[in-house]
Each structure stands twice: as structure tokens, then as C-alpha cells.
Amino acid sequence: MTITFITGANKGIGRETARRLIACGHTVLLGARDRERGEEAAAALGARFVPVDVTDDVSVAAAAADVAGHEGRIDVLINNAGVQGPFGDPGDLTAADARAVLDVNVIGVVRTTTAFLPLLRRSDDPVIINVSSGMGSLAFTHDPGRSESHVVVPLYASSKAALTMLTTQYAKGLKGIRVNAADPGYTATDMNGHSGSQTVTEGTDAIVALATEGPGAGTGRFIDRHGEIAWS
């Protein structure tokens, strides 16, 4: 049985990913910082709730210890937790704004990945999936034919660009672990006021594809629901 830990999984893309992977036969550990919402989601889906705040060293260490004590390993880590940060004029940004976004979207991934590596290394086929975004692509955000080029969301875009590069570095440096990034696309979630053109199920296609690949699949890739995206 594949054991999968998902951060930020009490709603939106994380929750739908959990639902779909449970339907595929995975044992899903649903990570969320809001205990009430996390427990509700886990109960509704048939997952096990594990409290985790990816911005807090103690919380992440406790989550890893919880999983070590119950399951003993994980096979798939999905770093899904993310925040958007301010829209619009970059001249209004503050250091506090930047800290808040980067602490979840980039530092939180490092914090969680490091804590869960010992559990991944107990797997016969360990996988890390970082939920990134086309907003972090230089090519997409400079292509007038794409929606990403018409949005000004400086900290989110910057953090996702950092996350895609972090993914390539993990893929090169973590031997024996497949590390890939997924772009959900413009998906209707709370983050965008449900304005996205894709359903939440469509938005999880790339993540589910990466989580259900067999041994020997590639590492260091960036994909969306249509296929591989160039690293640019």
C-alpha cells in the first residue's frame, strides 16, 4: 500500500488530491494546520489527519514523528501547502509580506522535505511532488497568449520560480528519490475566489499522475495536465 503525506490538504487542490489518491488505493495522511478543518476533511475522505504547520519547525518535526510512530514510512510526499500574497503594485510590498509568502511556499517545502526524508528513505520507491505554478515560469509570464502574463502577483510568482529551481536541485542531489514539480493550472479554488477556468479535479491531474507513476519514472520534471513543461 502506497502511503502518501499531503500538506495543506484540508481544502482545494490538496483535498481533491487526497480524495483521488484514496480512490487509487493510497493510504493518505492529510496534513493541515487547522485542526478542525483537517479532521473534518480526513473523516469525510477516509484519510488520517496529521496536524502540521509548514512554517513551524516544531510542528513539522512533530508531524514527522507522528508518522514515524504510526506508519513508519511514507512513499510519496506532496508539498502542496501554499499562499498567494498581495496582488498588484510591487511598490507596496513589505519585507513582512515577502517573509510570509516565502516561509510557506519555499522555506516550508525545505522544512517539510528535510523532516520527512528519513521516512521517504524507508520506501522502496520514494517520490516527492512539489506543487508549483505556471506563474513561476519566465516563458509563461512573458507570453501574451497565456493568462499568466496578465497577472501581477509578485511574491507568489517569485516563490514558485524558486520552487521549480529547488525541485531541479533536489532531483539532482537526492539520489534514489524521484522529485518532480506539478503545475495545477488556473483552477477554481479559494485562492483565486473560484475564478479559475479549470475544475479542482482537472487541477489535480498532474499531481495524481506523478503520484501514481511506477518505479523508474523520470525525475527533475515539471508537468501540467497536458504533459511536460520546459524549465524556463
Side-chain angles (χ1 to χ4, degrees):
M1 181 80 71
T2 301
I3 301 171
T4 299
F5 184 86
I6 309 172
T7 65
N10 62 287
K11 63 179 182 176
I13 285 170
R15 179 169 176 153
E16 179 66 2
T17 300
R19 184 193 69 79
R20 293 183 66 183
L21 291 179
I22 289 167
C24 291
H26 286 217
T27 294
V28 170
L29 309 178
L30 189 151
R33 62 182 175 181
D34 186 308
R35 178 175 290 275
E36 183 177 351
R37 291 181 179 179
E39 288 178 343
E40 179 277 326
L45 298 175
R48 185 171 83 80
F49 171 63
V50 179
V52 64
D53 178 348
V54 301
T55 68
D56 183 87
D57 289 339
V58 173
S59 174
V60 173
D66 179 300
V67 175
H70 285 84
E71 288 78 21
R73 75 168 205 280
I74 61 170
D75 302 292
V76 181
L77 170 63
I78 301 177
N79 287 309
N80 169 72
V83 295
Q84 182 173 262
F87 264 92
D89 186 357
D92 294 330
L93 296 176
T94 67
D97 292 332
R99 235 178 260 116
V101 173
L102 294 171
D103 201 19
V104 177
N105 295 2
V106 182
I107 300 168
V109 171
V110 174
R111 185 179 283 118
T112 305
T113 300
T114 299
F116 279 82
L117 272 176
L119 296 168
L120 281 163
R121 287 181 168 136
R122 296 176 189 170
S123 170
D124 293 332
D125 184 33
V127 174
I128 298 171
I129 301 164
N130 294 326
V131 180
S132 191
S133 170
M135 284 300 303
S137 164
L138 298 180
F140 286 6
T141 54
H142 285 80
D143 180 349
R146 292 193 62 102
S147 61
E148 291 91 345
S149 71
H150 305 289
V151 181
V152 179
V153 57
L155 297 176
Y156 180 79
S158 300
S159 71
K160 293 303 184 179
L163 181 57
T164 52
M165 179 57 76
L166 186 64
T167 301
T168 67
Q169 295 297 299
Y170 275 143
K172 291 177 181 179
L174 293 178
K175 304 305 180 187
I177 301 177
R178 295 202 308 277
V179 188
N180 294 297
D183 171 20
Y186 189 32
T187 301
T189 65
D190 286 354
M191 186 177 283
N192 55 40
H194 295 270
S195 63
S197 57
Q198 292 184 159
T199 68
V200 73
T201 300
E202 291 171 328
T204 58
D205 282 349
I207 305 167
V208 171
L210 290 171
T212 54
E213 292 178 316
T219 191
R221 292 169 295 151
F222 186 20
I223 74 165
D224 64 13
R225 65 190 299 258
H226 304 293
E228 197 156 336
I229 301 170
W231 288 107
S232 60

